[in-house]
């Protein structure tokens, strides 16, 4: 199956989620949600395995990966407030959840293996990847290669004791039944585990954009065996489409397109996403406006500070706001409240409150802080604020598309330059859009902000998104504002955005894994960092490790 272009809502702005980490909390929740649907009956036991040298192994307790998986297995999506109590809830359901760290081959640092057993003794094994920003992929089922990204309705047929040719016949028969019911298949995959003994397994996956009617599903189960057929519902907000055609996937091509069509950048972003998702521009704006309202609520809740953070800090945003209101901050204009808002949202994230990953949970304070503080600075009328913010956020999302197409948002792969660096780049372009700057200026601002972030490592102390994550969100806000200003009024960074994105990817791949969210380097291994980890582990888990 061909790789689909990135979606603003699937890959960049979102998910709406319970903190603290899009890769380590929301991603596992989505993996668990899909994997749980592959079990033939009621779950009785799940064995979770993290690879010894991967990021999950070092951070899964502090960043709640085990809770995310448990929540997904119970049918919860990342925004479900019950996620923070998922380990207790799965235990109350009588489901045994065992977590192991062990050696196995893994091509991605965020790889998890799951072995699921139902109450009748049926088993299924799954390999899942959390690839950044809450995006996921199931890449193996029963040791058979697959690719399930959670953006289709999937009909999965598990085979044993058959052959590749017999699977092809089954797939054809099922697709014929779908056609008779006017259900359009958007491609399929047929794979086997390559074994020639009684452990041979095969998997058929058929993708659709519509839910299969229950009567048709019953017919398929009757013909091919109730124990072998699984009906998987998606976890992503925008469905995929095999025939989707977008106008561009690179900044350079977008600049040419905007010039040719005399279109503002926000409109280019909206048309891109409409083409990607098979929806209208008005639907795209409505989706973004809903996200804006979640962001507004996150800022308000974060400023109130009526919560407990999970690591070693206490909420401070309300005190910072009071200092701004009392004129005690060193005056920096809109940066004063932008600083406070970024802290507020990140503190809420660290408390496992509801935030929007933009593009990740570790950088979720940057975009709402810059966009909302600029709304105030520009004195945008109340009845226009949400629409203005949505257009700015679409611009940010499109810059994120270019980043995701050519690099990554995963700090486990490219460090914090992929998170806070990307967020600063996206926010800089959004601010240029709000200020009435040109499309070229927006791209230049995005490139400048990313240039300023190259080499930024990921080293969360005690596995918490508190230090240095909150401070780096604040720094990213300042980076975005200054990059936007100088890009609009005379300074050019010379290097085009696409080239800077590729440089980020190259730099990220040159970073050692000790500096990519493993807890093995940077601030994590300072004497104070080690002490804080021991204190947090003892308080939260009753041990020093």
């Amino acid at each position: 199956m061909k790789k689909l272009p990135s979606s603003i809502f699937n890959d960049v702005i979102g998910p709406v989620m319970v903190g603290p980490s899009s890769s380590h909390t929301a991603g596992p929740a989505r993996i668990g949600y899909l994997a749980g649907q592959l079990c033939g009956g009621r779950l009785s036991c799940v064995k979770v395995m993290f690879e010894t040298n991967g990021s999950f192994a070092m951070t899964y307790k502090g960043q709640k990966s085990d809770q995310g998986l448990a929540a997904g297995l119970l049918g919860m999506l990342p925004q479900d407030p019950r996620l923070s109590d998922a380990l207790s809830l799965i235990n109350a359901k009588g489901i045994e959840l065992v977590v192991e760290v062990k050696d196995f081959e893994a091509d991605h640092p965020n790889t998890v293996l799951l072995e699921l057993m139902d109450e009748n003794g049926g088993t299924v094994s799954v390999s899942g990847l959390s690839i950044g920003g809450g995006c996921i992929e199931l890449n193996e089922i029963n040791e058979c290669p697959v690719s399930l990204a959670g953006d289709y309705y999937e009909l999965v047929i598990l085979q044993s004791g058959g052959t590749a040719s017999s699977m092809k016949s089954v797939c054809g028969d099922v697709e014929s039944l779908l056609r008779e019911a006017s259900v359009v298949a958007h491609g399929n995959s047929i794979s086997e585990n390559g074994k020639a003994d009684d452990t041979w397994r095969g998997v058929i996956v058929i993708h659709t954009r519509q839910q299969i009617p229950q009567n048709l599903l019953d017919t398929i189960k009757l013909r091919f065996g109730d124990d072998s057929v699984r009906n998987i519902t998606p976890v992503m907000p925008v469905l995929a489409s095999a025939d989707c055609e977008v106008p561009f996937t690179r900044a350079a091509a977008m600049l040419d397109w905007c010039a040719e069509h005399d279109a503002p950048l926000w409109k280019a972003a909206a048309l891109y996403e409409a083409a990607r998702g098979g929806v209208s521009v008005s639907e795209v704006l409505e989706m973004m406006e809903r996200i804006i309202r979640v962001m507004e609520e996150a800022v308000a809740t974060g400023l109130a500070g009526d919560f407990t953070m999970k690591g070693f800090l206490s909420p401070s945003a309300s005190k910072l706001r009071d200092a701004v209101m009392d004129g005690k901050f060193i005056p920096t204009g809109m940066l004063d409240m932008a600083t406070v808002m970024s802290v507020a949202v990140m503190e809420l994230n660290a408390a496992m409150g509801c935030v929007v990953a933009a593009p990740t949970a570790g950088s979720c304070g940057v975009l709402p802080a810059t966009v909302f503080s600029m709304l105030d600075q520009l004195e945008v009328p109340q009845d226009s604020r949400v629409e203005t913010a949505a257009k700015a956020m679409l611009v940010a999302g499109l810059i994120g598309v270019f980043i995701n197409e050519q690099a990554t948002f995963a700090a486990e792969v490219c460090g914090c330059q992929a998170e806070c660096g990307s967020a600063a780049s996206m926010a800089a372009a959004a601010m240029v859009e709000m200020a009435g700057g040109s499309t070229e200026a927006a791209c230049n601002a995005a490139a400048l902000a990313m240039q300023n972030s190259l080499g930024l490592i990921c080293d969360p102390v005690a596995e918490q998104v508190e230090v240095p994550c909150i401070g780096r969100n604040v720094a990213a806000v300042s980076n975005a504002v200054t990059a936007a200003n100088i890009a609009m009024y005379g300074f050019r960074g010379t290097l085009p955005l696409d080239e800077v994105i590729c440089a980020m990817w190259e730099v990220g791949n040159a970073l050692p894994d000790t500096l990519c969210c493993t807890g093995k380097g940077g601030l994590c291994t300072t004497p104070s960092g080690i002490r804080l980890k021991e204190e947090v582990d003892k308080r939260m888990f009753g041990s020093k490790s």
Side-chain angles (χ1 to χ4, degrees):
M1 247 180 113
K2 72 174 184 178
K3 180 183 180 295
L4 294 174
S6 300
S7 158
I8 290 175
F9 295 111
N10 285 2
D11 300 280
V12 186
I13 308 295
V16 176
M17 58 168 286
V18 171
S21 171
S22 45
S23 290
H24 288 183
T25 316
R30 284 173 162 171
I31 290 171
Y33 187 88
L34 293 183
Q37 296 178 77
L38 289 166
C39 201
R42 183 183 178 278
L43 274 173
S44 64
C45 180
V46 181
K47 184 177 180 181
V48 176
M49 289 160 282
F50 298 128
E51 196 271 322
T52 305
N53 296 311
S55 182
F56 276 144
M58 312 303 293
T59 64
Y60 79 87
K61 289 183 178 180
Q63 298 201 5
K64 320 304 181 189
S65 305
D66 50 354
Q67 291 185 181
L69 283 166
L73 291 165
L74 290 172
M76 302 178 198
L77 291 170
Q79 67 267 32
D80 196 309
R82 296 173 296 167
L83 187 149
S84 61
D85 198 31
L87 291 176
S88 297
L89 292 173
I90 201 167
N91 182 62
K93 289 278 189 180
I95 301 170
E96 182 182 9
L97 184 71
V98 179
V99 178
E100 291 185 5
V101 175
K102 61 183 295 184
D103 293 334
F104 58 85
E105 289 188 15
D107 294 330
H108 194 283
N110 285 343
T111 300
V112 57
L113 302 182
L114 301 172
E115 292 181 359
L116 301 95
M117 178 179 293
D118 64 35
E119 58 188 357
N120 299 317
T123 62
V124 63
S125 65
V126 177
S127 170
L129 313 177
S130 180
I131 56 180
C135 293
I136 57 97
E137 180 185 24
L138 300 192
N139 64 332
E140 281 188 4
I141 298 174
N142 287 344
E143 299 182 309
C144 302
V146 297
S147 181
L148 277 68
D151 54 359
Y152 276 120
Y153 291 93
E154 316 269 9
L155 189 64
V156 177
I157 303 174
L158 307 178
Q159 299 278 282
S160 59
T163 64
S165 60
S166 68
M167 283 199 297
K168 192 171 182 179
S169 176
V170 169
C171 185
D173 290 344
V174 172
E175 289 195 325
S176 178
L177 289 171
L178 294 176
R179 282 193 298 272
E180 290 173 11
S182 300
V183 175
V184 178
H186 281 249
N188 64 64
S189 66
I190 300 172
S191 63
E192 54 183 304
N193 63 8
K195 299 180 180 180
D197 53 24
D198 59 2
T199 62
W200 182 92
R201 296 290 185 272
V203 175
I204 300 166
V205 180
I206 299 173
H207 318 282
T208 73
R209 281 176 58 91
Q210 62 196 102
Q211 192 164 13
I212 297 174
Q214 187 60 48
N215 62 336
L216 175 58
L217 187 62
D218 291 341
T219 298
I220 293 170
K221 288 184 175 182
L222 184 64
R223 184 172 299 187
F224 300 103
D226 186 70
D227 290 340
S228 66
V229 178
R230 308 287 188 269
N231 188 32
I232 310 300
T233 58
V235 294
M236 308 305 283
V238 175
L239 294 180
S241 174
D243 54 5
C244 123
E245 294 289 342
V246 295
F248 40 72
T249 57
R250 299 292 187 271
M254 180 273 295
L255 286 167
D256 291 340
W257 187 92
C258 285
E260 179 184 350
H261 293 83
D262 192 27
L265 189 47
W266 78 264
K267 190 68 172 288
L271 287 167
Y272 172 95
E273 188 65 9
R276 168 60 177 80
V279 296
S280 67
V281 167
S282 61
E283 287 175 295
V284 170
L285 280 167
E286 287 169 7
M287 290 177 71
M288 190 60 82
E289 288 174 0
R290 289 195 293 271
I291 284 176
I292 294 297
R293 291 187 176 92
V294 176
M295 286 181 165
E296 286 180 326
E297 182 65 25
V299 170
T301 305
L303 287 173
D306 187 20
F307 48 77
T308 301
M309 296 166 69
K310 301 298 182 182
F312 45 87
L313 297 182
S314 298
S316 63
S318 62
K319 295 177 182 178
L320 297 175
R321 178 193 54 198
D322 291 346
V324 170
M325 295 297 101
D326 293 342
K328 295 178 180 178
F329 258 38
I330 298 170
T332 58
M334 64 165 283
L335 269 177
D336 288 356
M337 274 310 297
T339 295
V340 175
M341 288 182 192
S342 64
V343 171
V345 176
M346 278 296 292
E347 288 182 341
L348 178 64
N349 179 53
M352 298 188 76
C354 184
V355 298
V356 179
T360 67
S363 59
C364 67
V366 179
L367 270 166
T370 50
V371 170
F372 295 159
S373 60
M374 194 160 178
L375 289 173
D376 294 338
Q377 183 71 25
L378 296 175
E379 298 182 346
V380 175
Q382 190 65 36
D383 60 357
S384 301
R385 284 175 66 91
V386 172
E387 181 183 354
T388 302
K391 290 178 177 179
M393 208 69 70
L394 279 170
V395 169
L398 187 57
I399 298 300
V401 163
F402 303 144
I403 296 170
N404 196 54
E405 285 291 309
Q406 300 172 87
T408 183
F409 297 130
E412 300 82 6
V413 177
C414 281
C416 194
Q417 59 174 357
E419 296 202 29
C420 285
S422 294
S425 183
M426 292 158 56
M431 297 177 75
V432 171
E433 171 72 17
M434 296 177 75
S438 68
T439 299
E440 285 189 352
C443 286
N444 287 334
L448 284 167
M450 183 159 285
Q451 287 179 39
N452 297 340
S453 307
L454 291 183
L456 190 60
I457 66 172
C458 181
D459 52 346
V461 171
E463 304 164 12
Q464 307 298 310
V465 288
E466 296 181 353
V467 174
C469 312
I470 296 174
R472 286 183 183 159
N473 273 249
V474 172
V477 168
S478 178
N479 181 12
V481 173
T482 52
N485 269 328
I486 64 176
M488 283 193 293
Y489 298 109
F491 182 82
R492 291 181 59 85
T494 305
L495 298 175
L497 177 58
D498 291 324
E499 293 184 18
V500 179
I501 292 170
C502 292
M504 186 268 276
W505 175 249
E506 180 184 356
V507 170
N509 280 276
L511 290 174
D513 67 351
T514 55
L515 303 179
C516 292
C517 199
T518 59
K520 297 178 181 178
L523 298 176
C524 303
T525 53
T526 61
S528 293
I530 293 170
R531 174 181 56 78
L532 285 167
K533 176 168 171 51
E534 290 176 349
E535 291 175 0
V536 169
D537 285 351
K538 186 175 182 179
R539 172 168 54 82
M540 295 180 70
F541 314 116
S543 68
K544 290 187 176 183
S545 61

